[in-house]
Amino acid sequence: MSAPEQLPLDVAQIQQLIPHRAPFLWLDDVTELTPTRIVAHKHIPASLDVFQGHYPHFPVLPGVLQCEAAFQAGAVLIATQFPPADGQVPVVTRLNNVQFRKMVSPGQTLELEVELTEQLTNAFFLKGKVSVDGKVCVRLEFACALAAPQA
């Protein structure tokens, strides 16, 4: 699929581009999309099951879920520029230089900025930033590839 012309993209449009679904879809919208950059958002409601155990009296969104939201934004970016063959899904193959800088609490909204820095055949190299209210929560570099599901 080529880059959509109308922004913002909503959840239904995002689901046309990537295979992720609730309860593991970590994108609500896409507000910026170029051939090498995407900006997306995810509101973090207090009702998320993860807060029942992480931590019940001091709820914090796990950093790995913040990274996953960035991965999904990268997958949308890749899907708009390099449509996957039938059945292929984006999988993360490397995660480097992760820096957790600020905790995320229920009620906040993640802003996800991901940039495609290099593409070599079926490998995509990206860098991302997760922010809340303009303050960086996570910085990361990652790589992913398109893979066929295994039987």
Side-chain angles (χ1 to χ4, degrees):
M1 172 180 273
S2 62
E5 294 180 23
Q6 297 292 326
L7 292 176
L9 300 182
D10 62 20
V11 169
Q13 293 165 306
I14 291 166
Q15 289 178 332
Q16 291 176 1
L17 295 167
I18 61 175
H20 305 81
R21 298 294 183 264
F24 211 72
L25 178 61
W26 292 95
L27 302 175
D28 291 334
D29 63 45
V30 172
T31 56
E32 182 181 327
L33 185 59
T34 73
T36 59
R37 177 178 153 80
I38 187 169
V39 177
H41 300 91
K42 174 63 181 173
H43 178 70
I44 306 302
S47 61
L48 284 177
D49 285 344
V50 70
F51 294 130
Q52 292 179 22
H54 197 267
Y55 302 97
H57 303 292
F58 183 63
V60 176
L61 184 68
V64 68
L65 294 179
Q66 296 174 55
C67 291
E68 176 63 27
F71 301 157
Q72 291 182 18
V76 169
L77 175 61
I78 291 166
T80 62
Q81 300 304 309
F82 306 93
D86 286 340
Q88 287 185 320
V89 296
V91 294
V92 174
T93 59
R94 183 183 308 163
L95 180 59
N96 295 329
N97 302 321
V98 180
Q99 301 170 346
F100 297 103
R101 298 179 175 244
K102 182 180 179 309
M103 290 185 280
V104 174
S105 302
Q108 295 183 315
T109 298
L110 303 180
E111 180 173 75
L112 310 149
E113 299 175 59
V114 176
E115 180 183 342
L116 177 64
T117 59
E118 188 174 3
Q119 188 256 330
L120 301 169
T121 61
N122 197 34
F124 302 88
F125 300 88
L126 306 105
K127 66 180 180 178
K129 178 173 74 170
V130 180
S131 303
V132 170
D133 295 329
K135 295 181 179 153
V136 177
C137 301
V138 180
R139 288 188 189 277
L140 65 153
E141 297 172 0
F142 60 102
C144 63
L146 296 174
Q150 297 181 2

